[in-house]
Amino acid sequence: AYTKENSLTYNIPAIKVFDRSTDEIYPGDYVKFMFDWFISYSSISKVARRLNDLSIPIPRVIQEHIKIYQLKREKNHSTPKVMVITKPGFWSRTTVRDILLNPFYTGVYIWNKSNIQLDQRIDRNNWIYADNAHEKIIDEKTYIMVTSLYDEIKKKPMANQ
């Protein structure tokens, strides 16, 4: 996920949702908001609802648009400074949860999580972690706060989530 600060480094434009009066969107910035919102709301559902209310594109839609943008750039077609997305998709609780619990946003990259040939997951004890593998979007303190809060909420009945 890129932020406004590193978008030039990766040569990826901002995103604008068609027919919305929102500012340009940088996905990394919304990742930061998601962590803050979860800490404030203590609810994955409320974070997903807020993202949907703001028409923030889901990761899959952003990735599809970035691929198209990069293909156009490779073929020397003119590329706009802003990618316009007409259908942002729908944020689910699962998508929000997966982002909030992913250490990737703290600069960690994990290898050896699965064996593709055998189509099976590898035991967590055998995963390979690379700290500071890329730019951090979320600091470790915030990540630990979110994962701890999630663990507490997970123990409660579903109606409270």
Side-chain angles (χ1 to χ4, degrees), residues 13-25:
I15 295 167
K16 187 146 179 92
V17 179
F18 179 74
D19 206 22
R20 292 285 299 194
S21 61
T22 59
D23 292 330
E24 296 172 352
I25 297 169

Side-chain angles (χ1 to χ4, degrees), residues 139-151:
D139 62 80
E140 281 186 44
K141 181 181 174 187
T142 302
Y143 179 75
I144 291 169
M145 190 182 310
V146 164
T147 55
S148 298
L149 180 58
Y150 176 77
D151 288 341

Side-chain angles (χ1 to χ4, degrees), residues 22-119:
T22 59
D23 292 330
E24 296 172 352
I25 297 169
Y26 295 89
D29 294 333
Y30 274 90
V31 168
K32 291 177 190 176
F33 295 151
M34 289 170 67
F35 276 77
D36 292 342
W37 293 337
F38 182 69
I39 290 168
S40 295
Y41 304 150
S42 299
S43 167
I44 288 176
S45 296
K46 288 181 182 176
V47 173
R49 195 171 312 123
R50 179 117 187 237
L51 291 162
N52 287 320
D53 289 347
L54 292 171
S55 295
I56 303 304
I58 61 174
R60 181 183 47 78
V61 170
I62 293 170
Q63 290 166 352
E64 289 169 359
H65 279 74
I66 289 172
K67 283 180 187 176
I68 292 167
Y69 176 86
Q70 290 172 334
L71 285 171
K72 284 182 179 179
R73 194 178 67 222
E74 286 172 12
K75 293 180 179 181
N76 291 326
H77 289 92
S78 62
T79 51
K81 292 183 179 181
V82 176
M83 290 186 293
V84 178
I85 294 178
T86 56
K87 296 179 181 178
F90 181 79
W91 284 89
S92 67
R93 285 175 34 89
T94 303
T95 304
V96 172
R97 183 203 64 212
D98 290 350
I99 289 172
L100 293 175
L101 300 180
N102 190 342
F104 175 84
Y105 300 104
T106 64
V108 173
Y109 197 82
I110 304 171
W111 284 277
N112 202 40
K113 288 170 45 173
S114 62
N115 184 326
I116 296 172
Q117 285 96 2
L118 299 177
D119 192 30

